[in-house]
Amino acid sequence: MEVSREYSLSEYVRPLWEGDTVSHETVLFREDEHAARLAFPADEIYGVFSADLKTEYEEGRDYALEFGCLVRLPGSRMPFMPLDRFYPKEHRDGQDFGCTEPGHPYLGFGEGDAMIRYMVDVTYRHSTGWNGPIPEARTDRLNRFLGKLSRGEEATILFYGDSITTGANSSGIVGVPPFAKPFPEMTADALARKYGYEVSVDVRAYEELKPVQPRGGKVLHYVNTAVGGMESQWGLDNVGPRASAYKPDLLVLAFGMNDGWRTREQYMELTRRIVDAFRAEVPECDIILLSSILPHWRAAGFFGHQIEYEDGLKAFAAGEEHIAVAPMTSVHRHILGRKQYYHASGNNVNHPSDFMARVYAMTLLATLGV
């Protein structure tokens, strides 16, 4: 099988739970780690590349396949993260978090491509099949937005959340090959492809807020007003200018990662208030509540109650109309049963790698029935 060497929407959003091939899965070897489990036990490896897809590694020289795992051979050209980078002995601003693992006061952290540069990219075939949760299509709850698309009417999709929703650590945001788009844009692009739409990127994360300019016809307006580091109280305080003002047809609400210190009840109370405030201004909008990936369980100050929030979101949505839950927490938990956290994290603490960002898009698209 020939492996693509560039970002491809169709390849990147193909669901993990379909077929027998996984494309461009990320792996990060620590200095003391020579074998890495993949999302599935591999039967055949089609290609292993550097994270930028520019360098292809050789089986037998750089790597081997043993018991379904990718093995880094002695003398391999494949990168690895030095242990003193993964577990720094001294604190350096912007390069570590506190660590809860005994004997290791700090956990390595890095934005931009600080982690990406240590990763490799694997494409392989497996025969075990997906035995994790498969997001349910909730077209019944999202029928107003999907109905607009099926009728060819102009529509707006708005993403509102924290740094994960900005696309933090996606290679396209960082500005390094393969320049994979952040998951919100992947989601909008895949919807546009299915329904024959043009995507109009009206507001990207961190850009100045500006009105959507109606154009008429089959145009899907993409608006992303997420801001890094924010949590649900900020989401409530800013729901007017950052969500309601755009009168979207679909709102993807994605807070939770930075709320970990809050109990499930506290988080859900704020989520309900965000939804109520938004619906008071935009009653005809469909809403997806997107649960978060989990933080690194050894990251002091981040790991908390996030694992409880998805069930709260589901319970809330069950009693509402036109609200669906995209269960990213459940999907991430399943993958973590196979892969170490840092193999699929863009910063080793709370952001997805390109691979996990793709799983975000897959989960949203499955919820939308795409």
Side-chain angles (χ1 to χ4, degrees):
M1 173 183 171
E2 185 175 351
V3 180
S4 65
R5 303 286 286 271
E6 58 186 19
Y7 168 74
S8 163
L9 176 66
S10 59
E11 189 172 26
Y12 274 50
V13 300
R14 186 176 65 241
L16 283 180
W17 39 87
E18 296 179 4
D20 63 357
T21 300
V22 178
S23 299
H24 303 297
E25 182 174 331
T26 53
V27 170
L28 187 154
F29 286 98
R30 293 191 326 197
E31 184 178 6
D32 61 341
E33 182 179 44
H34 302 291
R37 297 177 74 189
L38 302 167
F40 301 85
D43 295 325
E44 180 182 5
I45 291 180
Y46 293 134
V48 181
F49 299 86
S50 55
D52 61 10
L53 302 180
K54 292 183 177 180
T55 301
E56 182 171 7
Y57 300 111
E58 296 179 25
E59 188 169 10
R61 175 186 175 187
D62 299 302
Y63 70 88
L65 175 61
E66 297 181 7
F67 303 105
C69 298
L70 179 69
V71 175
R72 187 179 184 278
L73 295 175
S76 173
R77 297 171 298 158
M78 291 162 53
F80 62 85
M81 178 173 281
L83 269 183
D84 61 2
R85 177 69 180 89
F86 194 90
Y87 290 123
K89 294 180 175 60
E90 298 179 354
H91 171 65
R92 294 183 180 178
D93 289 344
Q95 296 186 38
D96 58 72
F97 268 75
C99 183
T100 62
E101 186 168 354
H104 296 290
Y106 302 108
L107 178 69
F109 163 83
E111 297 294 8
D113 68 344
M115 297 293 156
I116 296 173
R117 69 182 65 153
Y118 293 110
M119 288 184 165
V120 296
D121 177 293
V122 190
T123 296
Y124 61 94
R125 178 181 60 80
H126 64 87
S127 58
T128 56
W130 175 265
N131 61 357
I134 297 176
E136 181 183 359
R138 299 314 311 260
T139 55
D140 57 326
R141 290 176 171 265
L142 306 172
N143 59 315
R144 294 183 297 198
F145 171 67
L146 294 173
K148 270 198 161 187
L149 298 186
S150 65
R151 294 190 296 271
E153 298 174 11
E154 189 169 14
T156 298
I157 181 171
L158 187 144
F159 292 83
Y160 185 43
D162 53 30
S163 57
I164 295 173
T165 310
T166 70
N169 294 106
S170 290
S171 59
I173 295 295
V174 173
V176 297
F179 304 108
K181 289 187 177 183
F183 79 83
E185 288 196 52
M186 275 194 259
T187 302
D189 287 349
L191 279 168
R193 180 186 60 185
K194 176 177 179 177
Y195 289 96
Y197 269 64
E198 173 192 352
V199 174
S200 173
V201 179
D202 291 74
V203 179
R204 282 194 173 99
Y206 296 119
E207 289 183 346
E208 181 181 353
L209 300 182
K210 53 185 180 292
V212 168
Q213 299 299 327
R215 294 170 52 188
K218 301 183 75 172
V219 176
L220 179 60
H221 296 278
Y222 169 84
V223 179
N224 189 331
T225 61
V227 175
M230 299 304 145
E231 38 70 53
S232 295
Q233 182 62 60
W234 178 92
L236 176 60
D237 294 342
N238 292 274
V239 67
R242 289 192 166 268
S244 307
Y246 286 92
K247 301 292 190 290
D249 301 287
L250 177 65
L251 168 67
V252 179
L253 185 63
F255 292 99
M257 175 59 78
N258 300 319
D259 288 275
W261 56 274
R262 289 191 168 98
T263 65
R264 166 177 157 171
E265 291 72 25
Q266 291 169 331
Y267 168 76
M268 286 309 307
E269 175 61 21
L270 286 167
T271 299
R272 290 187 187 95
R273 291 174 66 189
I274 292 171
V275 170
D276 288 346
F278 176 79
R279 279 182 150 178
E281 300 296 327
V282 197
E284 296 302 312
C285 181
D286 292 340
I287 299 173
I288 293 179
L289 305 175
L290 175 60
S291 64
S292 175
I293 61 168
L294 297 172
H296 196 302
W297 69 292
R298 287 298 192 188
F302 256 105
F303 192 85
H305 294 280
Q306 293 96 334
I307 200 169
E308 305 167 18
Y309 296 163
E310 184 176 282
D311 285 344
L313 295 174
K314 288 180 177 179
F316 171 49
E320 300 287 330
E321 295 183 342
H322 299 289
I323 297 182
V325 175
M328 188 61 203
T329 304
S330 294
V331 175
H332 190 220
R333 287 183 70 183
H334 175 73
I335 292 172
L336 290 178
R338 286 285 310 171
K339 291 172 67 72
Q340 292 285 356
Y341 189 91
Y342 45 90
H343 289 315
S345 174
N347 68 354
N348 199 31
V349 170
N350 68 331
H351 290 166
S353 67
D354 272 356
F355 173 67
M356 197 55 61
R358 292 168 51 205
V359 180
Y360 260 102
M362 296 171 196
T363 301
L364 278 170
L365 290 167
T367 304
L368 285 156
V370 177

